[in-house]
Amino acid sequence: MVPWTPRPHRDDVRIAVGGLLGGVLLWVLGAHPRGSAESLVLWRASWVALVPLAVTAACALLRRTSPRAGLLIGTAALALDTVTVGSIVTVVLYTDLVYAAVLYGSPATARRIPWVTGMLTVLGGVVPAAVGRDPRWLLVGVAVGVAAFAPAATGWVVRNHRDAAEAARLRAGQTALLAEVDRTQAVTAERARMARELHDLVANHLSAIAIHSTAALSLDDPKTSKEALAVIRENSVEGLAEMRRLIGVLRAGSADREPAAIPTLEGLAALVEGARANGMDVRLDAGHGTVPAPVGLAAYRIVQESLTNALKHAAEGAVEVRLRRRDGRLDVRVDSPYRPGDTPRAPGSGAGLTGMRERTTLLGGEFEAGPEGARWTVRTVLPLTEGDSA
């Protein structure tokens, strides 16, 4: 099987064809850098100079696909050119091979070629001139430097700029990717926060509406139905008001509007009164003092959701809400009567417990919920920001 080799680039083909035609034109015109009578010329026939010219032009086809092989073959062709009448085009093509080997070759090749050509420049000019005390040898060093070291150094500089540009492009792509990841995470976190707020705003009122509407439909008592409808209306109005406040915050899109819709622990008394209006026996023991706004919001929502769950699931008895501040932490505890196997008075999806746990986790606190004997206990410990006084 014939091994597959990559096709030469079209620009390399143009360089090879152009160099070959230019060298042939100069050969036809008799423009040779050396005369046939010089002692350095071993093959005096002028046509011999076309051989290294053709080989070097062919090597130009390898300048991108196999730059190292092209440089090695081109070096041999240049050595042959020096013992003929020569062609200036062969030297020019060779300088391009050196440049391409540094630019397109492997990193190791790109590092070695400038050092090798620099040493050859010194050894070919400075050393013979110093040993033989003949300054004309410096011209040999200049010729080696122009034909080999200069294109190698140029290729090294261009390669460094190209690598730097590629690294900058990769960094820009990584930065854009990280920005997209951050944006996606921010959107996801905001959607989760919105889901928690929406659930906490409407769940309590809708649960009360569902329970009292069930009572009104099941009891044939005008007085009970009237009381149930009054509670339903009150919860509907309050639920709509809180929904409007949330929608107002979302439409405003400004952080300075948000605090107006955020409840604080000062509103716990009103929250408990609303739960009592729904027929619950709630006892509040609040000794929290002044707490940071994020902690106050989380504690309020946890108590609100705990009362909602108690309204839907708790057995007959008192619900106890207790808040205590100790050792730089706020301890929130809600106990409600619990009997395993009781049918809930309103359907639930478990999103309330998930929301309470998420709020606690965001503040670096601890959350527990579960039965303790004949009581269902929700306990949250929230760390307080340093510097806030009680």
Side-chain angles (χ1 to χ4, degrees), residues 11-139:
D11 291 338
D12 299 341
V13 175
R14 295 190 184 103
I15 292 174
V17 174
L20 181 61
L21 294 178
V24 171
L25 177 62
L26 292 179
W27 178 79
V28 171
L29 296 176
H32 306 298
R34 288 178 294 276
S36 59
E38 294 185 13
S39 59
L40 185 62
V41 178
L42 300 180
W43 284 281
R44 303 185 185 281
S46 61
W47 65 266
V48 180
L50 296 177
V51 176
L53 171 65
V55 172
T56 309
C59 290
L61 299 175
L62 306 176
R63 61 191 304 273
R64 296 174 197 258
T65 57
S66 300
R68 185 175 179 179
L71 178 61
L72 293 177
I73 299 173
T75 302
L78 181 66
L80 176 62
D81 182 78
T82 58
V83 295
T84 66
V85 294
S87 172
I88 191 64
V89 176
T90 302
V91 178
V92 173
L93 289 175
Y94 180 77
T95 61
D96 180 69
L97 293 177
V98 176
Y99 170 82
V102 176
L103 182 60
Y104 302 115
S106 64
T109 301
R111 288 192 300 268
R112 292 168 184 166
I113 290 178
W115 285 100
V116 172
T117 55
M119 293 298 297
L120 290 177
T121 300
V122 174
L123 294 176
V126 177
V127 174
V131 174
R133 299 184 182 278
D134 187 354
R136 289 179 297 177
W137 279 101
L138 293 175
L139 297 177

Side-chain angles (χ1 to χ4, degrees), residues 45-363:
S46 61
W47 65 266
V48 180
L50 296 177
V51 176
L53 171 65
V55 172
T56 309
C59 290
L61 299 175
L62 306 176
R63 61 191 304 273
R64 296 174 197 258
T65 57
S66 300
R68 185 175 179 179
L71 178 61
L72 293 177
I73 299 173
T75 302
L78 181 66
L80 176 62
D81 182 78
T82 58
V83 295
T84 66
V85 294
S87 172
I88 191 64
V89 176
T90 302
V91 178
V92 173
L93 289 175
Y94 180 77
T95 61
D96 180 69
L97 293 177
V98 176
Y99 170 82
V102 176
L103 182 60
Y104 302 115
S106 64
T109 301
R111 288 192 300 268
R112 292 168 184 166
I113 290 178
W115 285 100
V116 172
T117 55
M119 293 298 297
L120 290 177
T121 300
V122 174
L123 294 176
V126 177
V127 174
V131 174
R133 299 184 182 278
D134 187 354
R136 289 179 297 177
W137 279 101
L138 293 175
L139 297 177
V140 177
V142 171
V144 174
V146 171
F149 178 71
T154 304
W156 177 254
V157 172
V158 174
R159 183 185 182 114
N160 285 339
H161 283 292
R162 186 191 65 179
D163 292 344
E166 180 65 17
R169 186 188 67 81
L170 292 176
R171 285 196 299 270
Q174 292 173 352
T175 302
L177 180 60
L178 290 176
E180 179 63 20
V181 171
D182 290 342
R183 187 194 69 80
T184 303
Q185 292 177 346
V187 171
T188 302
E190 182 63 16
R191 291 182 63 172
R193 187 184 74 87
M194 298 265 314
R196 288 194 301 270
E197 292 295 329
L198 183 60
H199 177 273
D200 292 342
L201 283 176
V202 302
N204 183 49
H205 299 295
L206 291 181
S207 297
I209 291 172
I211 292 172
H212 285 83
S213 61
T214 301
L217 292 173
S218 60
L219 297 177
D220 189 12
D221 185 356
K223 182 179 179 181
T224 303
S225 298
K226 184 175 181 180
E227 292 175 354
L229 290 174
V231 174
I232 291 173
R233 182 185 183 281
E234 181 180 355
N235 280 277
S236 301
V237 172
E238 292 179 0
L240 286 173
E242 292 189 3
M243 184 69 71
R244 290 192 187 99
R245 285 197 296 270
L246 179 59
I247 293 174
V249 171
L250 296 178
R251 285 182 174 174
S254 176
D256 57 2
R257 291 285 306 276
E258 192 170 355
I262 292 181
T264 64
L265 291 181
E266 302 302 326
L268 282 181
L271 180 64
V272 170
E273 288 299 324
R276 290 170 180 166
N278 290 329
M280 299 176 62
D281 181 8
V282 184
R283 300 171 186 177
L284 175 63
D285 182 7
H288 50 78
T290 302
V291 300
V295 176
L297 173 62
Y300 180 94
R301 292 303 190 196
I302 289 172
V303 172
Q304 183 185 43
E305 181 58 30
S306 298
L307 293 178
T308 301
N309 289 340
L311 177 64
K312 293 189 293 184
H313 303 283
E316 294 293 334
V319 178
E320 297 180 359
V321 179
R322 184 170 66 253
L323 288 85
R324 283 289 183 271
R325 177 172 181 157
R326 58 171 66 92
D327 299 331
R329 302 186 303 173
L330 180 65
D331 192 340
V332 181
R333 186 183 182 97
V334 181
D335 293 323
S336 57
Y338 171 72
R339 282 199 300 267
D342 282 356
T343 303
R345 293 187 289 271
S349 62
L353 290 176
T354 301
M356 288 189 285
R357 184 174 287 105
E358 288 178 350
R359 289 184 185 276
T360 305
T361 302
L362 288 174
L363 295 178

